[in-house]
Structures are given as structure tokens and as C-alpha cells.
Amino acid sequence: MSYKITGIDVHKKMLAVVVSDVEVDGEYQFERRMFGSNPEQLRSLAAWLLEQEVQEVVMESTAQYWKPVWEALERYWKAICQKREGAGRKCGTLHLAQAQSNRGRRGRKRDFPYTERLVKRLVARELTLSFVPDAEQRLWRTVTRRKYQLTRDRVRLENQLESLLEEAHIKLSSLVSDLLGLSAQRMLKALADGETNRQLWPLWLMSACAPRQHNCAMRSVRARTSSPCTDGS
């Protein structure tokens, strides 16, 4: 009974794909095929693997280029392969190999020999494989990492802003708890506009929950400070 394994060398614009029956005695015989990396070509790849009755697929984790290939095979090949009649325990298995574990001799890399070596080393259990969670867990991991990255970006921006204000001898962080809050934004905008009236500073600290009262108070203070002084005569 045949047992076919596919190796895929992933590039940005193309894929080098080989298929071999690993149950034969002697040297493996490889069938070679080139595919593009666009969605239509990836669906064609999945259909070809189904036609070849491939049981397992191994690819190299090349930068971020392997992700669309993995997701396409997961959707168009793995689900169908596992539902086939007489499918084995490992039927529809995807493997992601670390590039370091498939290094060859020094020299110019050739795509198909490199891909064939992926298959041979997978059978010999010489590859270091990476764990890839299911689609839902990958999505949650992406959301969590993005949220963490945005939080770090906000903290870094706040630290840069405080450093700039300290260099300018502006102790704004002593007045507000959040340099990116509404009150701090009002003060920074006023400073950028050239406002020098110190009597307006307490009004900038007013809560954002009452913007109408805040605007009225600002106009009142500006009217008092801009009106000419008169004597009692």
C-alpha cells in the first residue's frame, strides 16, 4: 500500500512541490511541480494533492510566507483528506519544519533537491518541527499579541512625551496623571498655540464630562483678563 508525503519549499512568489511514495523499497521517486503563491494557485495545489492522494505535507517555516500556504491546505486539503474513506490516523497531517534542521552542504541552494531533502528527513525523523495551533487559537494569539503591542506603543509614546517636556522644563506630569488624557491634551494644544495665561491652567484640568461648562468658564476668564483696567474716578 502506498503512502505519499509532499514536501514544499516556500518562496514569496512560488512554491517548489515534490511528492513521493515513501513505502517503496530503494530510492524514493519524486514527482516535481511548481505552483504560484496566489490564492488561486494555492487552491490548485490543494486539488493536486488530493488527486495524488497525499497523506502528509511538510514545509519549511520561511519568514511569514508559509502562513497563507498552511491556511489554504488546512482549508482545502486537510479537511477533505481526513473525511476520505479509509483515512489513516496521520492522514491530513501538516508539518512545519524549522529551516535550521534542513540545512544542506554549503553552496548554492536548489529548490527541488532542498524540498526532497525535507521529505527524506521527515521520514528519518531528523527534522525539528514547530507546533502550530488550530485556526481559532492562532486568531486569538494574533489579537492578544496585537493588543500587547499597542499597549507597549502607547507606553513608549508617553515616555517620549514626558522626556521631551522635561527637557523643555515643563512639569506637566506633576499636574496630570495621564499625559495622553484629555486635560493633558488641552494643555499641550494650548502650549502649542502659544497660550501664556496661567489663570487658564486650572480650567484645563476640569473634567471632560462637562465640556459646555468648561467652554463657558474659559470665555469668562479670557474676558476678565483681556478687559482694560479702570480706576475709581
Side-chain angles (χ1 to χ4, degrees):
M1 183 177 179
S2 64
Y3 192 91
K4 294 183 178 181
I5 297 180
T6 292
I8 304 177
D9 187 16
V10 182
H11 296 267
K12 184 175 183 178
K13 296 182 179 181
M14 51 81 65
L15 308 174
V17 184
V18 299
V19 176
S20 177
D21 185 359
V22 299
E23 291 293 335
V24 299
D25 296 329
E27 190 71 18
Y28 294 158
Q29 300 297 320
F30 291 94
E31 183 175 352
R32 300 176 173 183
R33 186 74 67 91
M34 298 289 292
F35 289 90
S37 59
N38 57 65
E40 183 179 354
Q41 285 289 303
L42 293 179
R43 287 193 292 268
S44 299
L45 169 62
W48 185 68
L49 295 181
L50 290 172
E51 180 184 339
Q52 294 293 321
E53 297 184 353
V54 173
Q55 305 291 319
E56 298 182 47
V57 173
V58 58
M59 69 184 74
E60 186 186 87
S61 55
T62 306
Q64 305 297 321
Y65 304 140
W66 65 272
K67 292 184 177 180
V69 183
W70 184 282
E71 292 172 358
L73 294 181
E74 197 174 43
R75 181 176 182 180
Y76 300 111
W77 171 74
K78 180 178 180 178
I80 300 175
C81 186
Q82 291 178 340
K83 293 179 181 178
R84 278 184 169 177
E85 184 179 355
R89 181 173 57 89
K90 287 192 174 183
C91 185
T93 303
L94 288 165
H95 301 286
L96 185 67
Q98 298 181 14
Q100 189 73 16
S101 62
N102 194 42
R103 290 186 63 182
R105 292 179 296 179
R106 298 184 63 180
R108 184 174 180 179
K109 173 188 170 184
R110 294 181 297 171
D111 295 328
F112 284 117
Y114 186 85
T115 311
E116 293 170 3
R117 189 165 60 245
L118 268 176
V119 175
K120 293 176 182 178
R121 289 188 172 177
L122 176 67
V123 176
R125 299 183 179 181
E126 295 176 353
L127 291 177
T128 303
L129 302 178
S130 300
F131 169 71
V132 181
D134 56 43
E136 183 178 0
Q137 188 173 348
R138 292 200 304 270
L139 178 61
W140 279 112
R141 184 172 62 179
T142 301
V143 172
T144 304
R145 288 178 176 176
R146 182 58 179 163
K147 181 179 179 181
Y148 175 71
Q149 183 180 2
L150 290 175
T151 303
R152 289 188 59 186
D153 291 343
R154 189 182 190 279
V155 173
R156 182 171 65 251
L157 177 61
E158 188 171 355
N159 291 337
Q160 291 174 349
L161 177 60
E162 183 173 10
S163 176
L164 180 62
L165 293 174
E166 288 293 334
E167 290 180 6
H169 301 277
I170 301 175
K171 303 292 184 178
L172 185 59
S173 58
S174 301
L175 298 176
V176 296
S177 59
D178 185 7
L179 285 177
L180 299 179
L182 183 59
S183 298
Q185 291 181 28
R186 288 173 178 167
M187 294 182 183
L188 292 173
K189 186 178 185 303
L191 290 173
D193 294 340
E195 182 65 62
T196 58
N197 190 350
R198 294 185 178 182
Q199 297 186 29
L200 297 177
W201 282 71
L203 298 177
W204 289 326
L205 295 173
M206 292 178 61
S207 172
C209 297
R212 182 177 300 177
Q213 292 85 338
H214 169 77
N215 294 334
C216 292
M218 291 283 287
R219 287 196 295 268
S220 175
V221 171
R222 284 199 175 96
R224 288 200 310 269
T225 57
S226 61
S227 60
C229 297
T230 56
D231 52 16
S233 57

